[in-house]
Amino acid sequence: MTELRNVEQELDRFRTRLLAAALLVLICFGLIVARLLVLQVVKHEELSTRAEKNRISIVPIVPNRGLIVDRNGVVLADNYSAYTLEITRSQLVDDLDTVIDQLAEVVEIAPRDRRRFKRVMVESKRFESLPIRTKLTDEEVARFTAQRYRFPGVEIKARLFRNYPFGETAGHLIGYIGRINQREKDMMAEWSDEDQANYRGTEVIGKLGIEQSYERELHGITGFEEVETSAGGHPVRLLRSEPATPGNTVRLSIDIKLQSLVEELFGKRRGALVAIDPRNGEVLAFVSQPGFDPNLFVGGIDQDSWKELNESLDKPLLNRALRGTYPPGSTYKPFMAMAALITGKRTAGQAIFDNGSFMFGNHRFRSHGDHGLGSVDMARSIVQSSNVYYYMLASEMGVDMIHDQMAPYGFGEKTGIDLQGEATGDLPSTEWKRNKYKRPEQKRWYAGETISLGIGQGYNNFTMLQLASAQATLVAGGKRYAPRVVRGIEDAVTRETRILSSQLVLDMKLREPDVDVIKNAMFGVTQSGTATRVFAGAAYASGGKTGTAQAVTIRQNEKYNASRLAEYKRDHSLYTAFAPLDEPRIALAIVVENAGFGAEAAAPIARRVLDYVIAGRYPSPEDIAMVQKGQGAAPVGPFVAVADVPLPPARSGGMESDLPAAAASSAAAAATASPPRQIDPTPPGEPPQARALQRWWVPRRDAPPVQPAPSAPASSPKDSAP
């Protein structure tokens, strides 16, 4: 039986299927075309940029850090290049400790290198390259290179290291650089995009002193290289590059030779000295003793060195000039005398009778030695350092009047110096006490607390920077400048120097006759007063004031006996000074901790500083030794003209600590043979200075003694010694 086929029906089905297939093909092609349009037209720019990024790698070029030089152009901080052995943990095949042990068979890796590496590792990411050894010798580089295949994830890199040629000298002022920690990374995240981009590839940042405060000037501008890479990320060719711009040169106002002399005069004692030019606020010397070697922090300080510095009872990491606060003692009396003249509480010729003590209620405020001076006017109160005169004056003025008269000098507030981390100190008032303490009975000001303020004791606590700035303000007739340690910035490209002038913060417009009364009285201190022996034979006229500040409280019926007290409980020795008498060019304040009377320890150092600056005289080695022992008075031995004294030598790139003995000896010999670098010391408009100095000397680098640290200054009243 034959089956009849419906041809038309089959054709209709075929046509329908063909049409569906054609539509499907058209739709697919349409999707492809649409996708091509999106990729080639709509997202062309985005995808082109992404492809270019995959093909081109941007490599930052870290700039050379700028130099730090003293006022005469002597380099205090520079850079040197050295090889480092670095580990990238994410690329290691074996365990980290195993790799380090194997590396130690090829290159010497000391225990401190391991500890330093693991400390830095805590603050870093796994893909970051971290140094396990720095400053490799050529022989060590060759040994590792021959066995490089054994250590995937380990490589040798050439890096720039910071170098501080004079070690501890001016260490607190210059500061140091260190690896950027997490806290600093969080802070940098708030910077502008431009500033963040400038720090790409940078691993270190200024931590203290000039290095921190002038970080932006010293860092420079980061460059870059555009490198074409393969699909595997390997560089193929260099497409374009822009070199990095080195950091600017920061020129300080200090003289490194004077700075080194002052530190040497301190010897093994603790203390601080700040010297300022009253005419413009420039800091001439900024000393904190004991100090530390900032080279220890380059590349990361090892644990033993950090423990030694951090746990030392002498607190070498404390910047005493900037952050140490002390009662000013009798050095406060000239300021009290000026306040008396301004407020009319005393005239210059008005006298009081000093019988050796002052009674307030049932409390007896004593004078040093418990002996009276008899009739005392304002000049004699300063020359002979009468306590009774200022006990009475403080009682009459009251705490708030004292505060209002002392605040314009900058006591109890930041001076505005161009360094970070300055302490404010304490200038007491009734409001100050209400804000400082919590319990109601502590907030109240008692009249008896005012008496000791007159002699610089009680709640008074100031930094040597504040005291030196106040002294400069007083002798300048009330013109108060913000102290400045940087006098100019030299552009790394144009070599033009931008002079930085100190800001006039306040002009108190002190009356010239009143200023002359105080200056002449302070001159009398050096002629017939408490500093007579120290300033005998000086080639210039200067003014000064000795001071002795209490470190711990003694009872009312107990006499001070230094020999019966532990060294760190003894009184601090202070001295303030200015010179020359008519047109002062220097004003200073110095404290020698736990050293006794101001005339015994502090004044002799001040005398040598004034000799250096005003008379151009450098003390003899015999004289320096006497001052270090606290036995100095007037200078002994033949002096040397400052211009003939050689500068300290630069060290060999700071490499001595890590090189083998033979290499270190070679480095030391090279340092001896080569003088320190100097740049042109003459900013625009200034005469050349110190260009003829060609001989060099080694500054003292004695290790600071480990002695008990001084206790916090007592806030309760005590008599002040002259």
Side-chain angles (χ1 to χ4, degrees):
M1 183 175 172
T2 304
E3 181 180 354
L4 297 176
R5 298 175 60 188
N6 190 337
V7 177
E8 290 297 329
Q9 186 177 8
E10 288 183 358
L11 287 173
D12 288 340
R13 288 176 182 173
F14 174 76
R15 294 188 187 100
T16 301
R17 291 172 182 168
L18 183 62
L19 181 61
L23 287 174
L24 179 62
V25 171
L26 286 174
I27 291 172
C28 290
F29 272 103
L31 291 174
I32 292 173
V33 170
R35 183 59 179 166
L36 287 173
L37 285 173
V38 170
L39 295 176
Q40 296 293 333
V41 179
V42 178
K43 293 187 176 183
H44 171 76
E45 185 174 350
E46 176 188 346
L47 295 176
S48 176
T49 302
R50 188 183 301 177
E52 197 70 11
K53 286 183 177 180
N54 290 335
R55 183 179 71 91
I56 299 175
S57 176
I58 305 297
V59 180
I61 303 174
V62 180
N64 289 354
R65 196 167 179 85
L67 304 179
I68 300 175
V69 302
D70 82 340
R71 69 186 299 119
N72 297 316
V74 180
V75 177
L76 308 180
D78 60 4
N79 312 292
Y80 69 95
S81 60
Y83 292 114
T84 64
L85 185 65
E86 304 197 4
I87 298 176
T88 305
R89 287 172 290 159
S90 61
Q91 299 178 8
L92 295 181
V93 176
D94 296 326
D95 177 69
L96 175 63
D97 290 331
T98 302
V99 171
I100 294 177
D101 290 339
Q102 292 173 349
L103 282 172
E105 298 174 0
V106 180
V107 175
E108 181 182 359
I109 299 178
R112 67 174 183 174
D113 296 322
R114 295 173 184 255
R115 292 192 295 266
R116 181 170 53 191
F117 178 83
K118 292 187 176 180
R119 182 175 61 82
V120 174
M121 186 176 67
V122 174
E123 302 175 350
S124 307
K125 296 180 174 59
R126 288 186 56 83
F127 58 82
E128 291 183 317
S129 178
L130 304 179
I132 181 69
R133 256 293 309 277
T134 59
K135 307 166 193 172
L136 273 68
T137 64
D138 291 341
E139 181 183 349
E140 289 174 322
V141 171
R143 284 205 307 266
F144 174 80
T145 303
Q147 302 190 49
R148 168 71 177 80
Y149 67 93
R150 294 176 50 198
F151 303 101
V154 183
E155 59 184 335
I156 286 180
K157 291 185 178 181
R159 287 183 180 265
L160 281 176
F161 288 87
R162 198 63 161 166
N163 177 49
Y164 304 98
F166 304 131
E168 290 187 10
T169 304
H172 281 289
L173 173 61
I174 298 171
Y176 62 89
I177 63 171
R179 195 175 184 86
I180 300 174
N181 58 36
Q182 189 58 48
R183 179 181 60 83
E184 290 160 339
K185 289 178 181 177
D186 295 340
M187 177 189 67
M188 293 168 70
E190 301 177 2
W191 292 1
S192 66
D193 292 341
E194 182 180 356
D195 288 338
Q196 290 188 50
N198 195 37
Y199 274 76
R200 287 175 184 166
T202 301
E203 297 181 351
V204 296
I205 196 170
K207 299 288 187 176
L208 287 176
I210 298 297
E211 293 280 24
Q212 179 186 36
S213 300
Y214 284 84
E215 168 65 28
R216 299 296 179 90
E217 296 286 353
L218 291 165
H219 178 267
I221 301 175
T222 299
F224 67 88
E225 289 182 345
E226 286 187 0
V227 180
E228 185 177 5
T229 59
S230 65
H234 300 292
V236 176
R237 62 190 175 103
L238 177 65
L239 300 177
R240 186 166 69 96
S241 68
E242 183 173 318
T245 303
N248 296 329
T249 295
V250 175
R251 184 188 299 275
L252 307 186
S253 58
I254 70 160
D255 179 346
I256 192 61
K257 192 166 27 174
L258 173 61
Q259 181 85 10
S260 181
L261 170 63
V262 176
E263 294 183 11
E264 188 174 10
L265 290 170
F266 265 93
K268 296 183 179 180
R269 297 171 295 181
R270 303 177 299 275
L273 178 145
V274 178
I276 296 176
D277 189 334
R279 301 170 298 178
N280 53 28
E282 282 190 356
V283 177
L284 306 177
F286 194 88
V287 175
S288 175
Q289 284 294 98
F292 65 92
D293 186 353
N295 289 297
L296 292 172
F297 292 87
V298 177
I301 189 170
D302 64 275
Q303 188 174 358
D304 290 341
S305 298
W306 171 252
K307 183 177 180 180
E308 181 180 353
L309 289 173
N310 196 43
E311 297 182 4
S312 171
L313 295 178
D314 283 331
K315 300 181 180 178
L317 294 177
L318 171 64
N319 189 335
R320 287 168 163 84
L322 191 69
R323 298 194 54 79
T325 58
Y326 307 86
S330 291
T331 62
Y332 205 50
K333 291 175 181 176
F335 301 99
M336 287 292 296
M338 177 58 76
L341 294 174
I342 293 174
T343 59
K345 292 295 182 180
R346 293 282 189 280
T347 62
Q350 183 179 350
I352 63 99
F353 186 78
D354 180 351
N355 63 357
S357 65
F358 176 74
M359 293 300 298
F360 186 86
N362 296 325
H363 190 90
R364 179 172 176 261
F365 292 86
R366 301 172 300 183
S367 288
H368 179 67
D370 294 330
H371 63 270
L373 297 175
S375 180
V376 177
D377 62 6
M378 183 171 288
R380 191 161 186 255
S381 74
I382 294 175
V383 173
Q384 298 298 323
S385 201
S386 168
N387 281 354
V388 173
Y389 186 98
Y390 293 97
Y391 287 146
M392 291 183 177
L393 178 59
S395 180
E396 294 175 28
M397 292 181 67
V399 61
D400 287 330
M401 182 180 289
I402 294 174
H403 172 276
D404 294 343
Q405 290 297 314
M406 297 302 173
Y409 293 100
F411 289 120
E413 64 182 57
K414 294 183 178 181
T415 64
I417 192 172
D418 52 339
L419 292 173
Q420 298 183 31
E422 181 183 2
T424 58
D426 294 311
L427 178 64
S429 66
T430 52
E431 181 181 1
W432 169 86
K433 197 176 183 188
R434 282 196 301 268
N435 295 332
K436 186 174 182 66
Y437 295 100
K438 296 182 179 179
R439 297 203 302 266
E441 63 274 17
Q442 291 178 313
K443 291 176 175 289
R444 179 184 173 187
W445 185 271
Y446 298 93
E449 295 175 318
T450 305
I451 310 303
S452 291
L453 299 182
I455 61 167
Q457 291 285 170
Y459 291 108
N460 287 322
N461 272 296
F462 311 125
T463 65
M464 286 303 103
L465 175 60
Q466 289 174 330
L467 192 55
S469 177
Q471 184 65 64
T473 301
L474 178 60
V475 300
K479 291 184 178 180
R480 176 181 156 204
Y481 292 92
R484 178 169 290 279
V485 296
V486 173
R487 68 186 326 209
I489 304 291
E490 181 182 300
D491 189 274
V493 178
T494 65
R495 297 300 178 188
E496 294 180 355
T497 298
R498 183 173 78 254
I499 301 299
L500 303 181
S501 301
S502 296
Q503 178 185 359
L504 181 62
V505 178
L506 176 69
D507 188 352
M508 299 170 63
K509 299 186 184 300
L510 299 177
R511 294 179 299 181
E512 187 174 350
D514 292 344
V515 176
D516 288 341
V517 168
I518 305 303
K519 288 169 63 177
N520 288 328
M522 296 181 72
F523 173 62
V525 171
T526 68
Q527 301 303 301
S528 60
T530 52
T532 303
R533 290 178 59 249
V534 175
F535 282 85
Y540 50 88
S542 71
K545 185 68 192 80
T546 53
T548 307
Q550 178 187 13
V552 295
T553 306
I554 64 172
R555 291 186 292 272
Q556 181 180 355
N557 59 353
E558 183 180 356
K559 288 188 177 182
Y560 175 80
N561 188 334
S563 62
R564 295 182 180 179
L565 293 174
E567 187 268 343
Y568 67 94
K569 293 183 178 181
R570 297 172 188 169
D571 291 344
H572 302 314
S573 175
L574 295 100
Y575 192 76
T576 55
F578 67 92
L581 186 64
D582 295 331
E583 296 180 357
R585 304 201 312 264
I586 180 175
L588 64 82
I590 176 176
V591 60
V592 183
E593 291 183 5
N594 313 118
F597 297 147
E600 293 180 354
I605 297 178
R607 164 71 192 272
R608 277 70 181 172
V609 173
L610 299 184
D611 282 354
Y612 183 103
V613 175
I614 305 301
R617 295 180 175 181
Y618 200 96
S620 66
E622 176 188 1
D623 188 53
I624 292 175
M626 295 287 288
V627 174
Q628 288 176 339
K629 297 175 183 177
Q631 300 172 357
V636 297
F639 65 84
V640 181
V642 167
D644 294 333
V645 176
L647 293 168
R651 300 194 313 181
S652 174
M655 297 181 66
E656 292 90 336
S657 60
D658 287 325
L659 290 176
S665 300
S666 300
T672 305
S674 302
R677 289 191 296 140
Q678 287 183 268
I679 67 170
D680 179 13
T682 312
E686 293 193 5
Q689 301 179 43
R691 283 178 171 166
L693 299 177
Q694 298 297 332
R695 292 178 296 168
W696 321 102
W697 71 309
V698 180
R700 176 189 60 80
R701 291 193 179 92
D702 296 335
V706 179
Q707 298 174 351
S711 59
S715 58
S716 56
K718 177 189 176 287
D719 304 339
S720 175

